[in-house]
Amino acid sequence: MKKVFGQTVRDLKRGVNKKVLKVPGIKQKVLDATNNESWGPHGSLLADIALATRSSPEYQIIMAVLWKRMNDTGKNWRHVYKALTVLDYLVAHGAERVIDDIRGHTYLITTLSDFQYIDSNGRDQGSTVRKRSQSLLVLVNDKERVIEVRQKAAANKDK
């Protein structure tokens, strides 16, 4: 990102979202976690989102943003990939209803197994989305594995 008088454009946009558009804090966190930057979401951001899934109003906001991000295409492939990454994290650390929600959106995640995007350098960036969507579906459809992942996450929570 380019610096503008000591602030990045992203920081300026976040400030506008909060003050002018009055975007709820949790929505901004999910948007930040699923942005189009080349690095993944920060662990503390994921932890905040996971904790917020236990609150009903915030849960609705989180899931609405994630499902909207899953419908992005083309050059916004990172939105889709990072939304899948957040969902994967929420399976282990979020409220249990996340798992049911993912199962309810199986059709959407299944369509991502055909996701296509070739970047300007000729690389198939869609392959990462395809792999992540398939692994998420395998995980949520294996109840024993979900229990194991959640127990492991709970045991490692304080580490």
Side-chain angles (χ1 to χ4, degrees):
M1 286 262 150
K2 292 183 179 180
K3 293 273 186 180
V4 180
F5 302 113
Q7 283 188 307
T8 63
V9 173
R10 184 184 46 192
D11 291 336
L12 290 171
K13 183 175 185 255
R14 186 178 297 121
V16 168
N17 281 350
K18 284 182 178 177
K19 290 183 175 80
V20 178
L21 301 177
K22 296 189 177 14
V23 173
I26 193 61
K27 182 175 182 178
Q28 188 60 55
K29 286 181 180 185
V30 178
L31 291 171
D32 288 347
T34 59
N35 64 24
N36 219 13
E37 301 296 332
S38 59
W39 53 84
H42 193 272
S44 61
L45 191 58
L46 290 172
D48 289 349
I49 294 168
L51 184 61
T53 61
R54 296 175 189 338
S55 161
S56 191
E58 289 183 330
Y59 176 83
Q60 299 299 326
I61 293 168
I62 292 165
M63 298 312 286
V65 173
L66 290 174
W67 297 129
K68 185 174 187 302
R69 289 292 211 190
M70 299 279 272
N71 285 307
D72 282 350
T73 58
K75 65 179 182 172
N76 291 325
W77 66 271
R78 283 190 184 99
H79 291 171
V80 180
Y81 180 77
K82 289 181 179 183
L84 289 166
T85 301
V86 172
L87 286 173
D88 194 49
Y89 185 88
L90 293 179
V91 167
H93 301 275
E96 287 198 32
R97 61 184 167 172
V98 169
I99 299 159
D100 294 331
D101 208 342
I102 293 170
R103 288 180 184 141
H105 285 83
T106 298
Y107 66 94
L108 174 60
I109 300 169
T110 301
T111 63
L112 295 175
S113 63
D114 295 325
F115 190 89
Q116 296 289 321
Y117 179 67
I118 308 297
D119 69 13
S120 59
N121 296 326
R123 283 180 291 194
D124 180 11
Q125 300 293 359
S127 68
T128 58
V129 171
R130 292 190 298 272
K131 289 175 189 171
R132 179 65 73 154
S133 66
Q134 291 164 356
S135 69
L136 180 62
L137 284 175
V138 167
L139 174 61
V140 297
N141 288 318
D142 184 346
K143 291 180 181 181
E144 290 177 12
R145 178 82 175 114
V146 168
I147 292 168
E148 180 183 313
V149 166
R150 289 182 68 81
Q151 286 174 342
K152 185 176 179 182
N156 292 330
K157 185 177 179 183
D158 296 327
K159 290 185 180 179

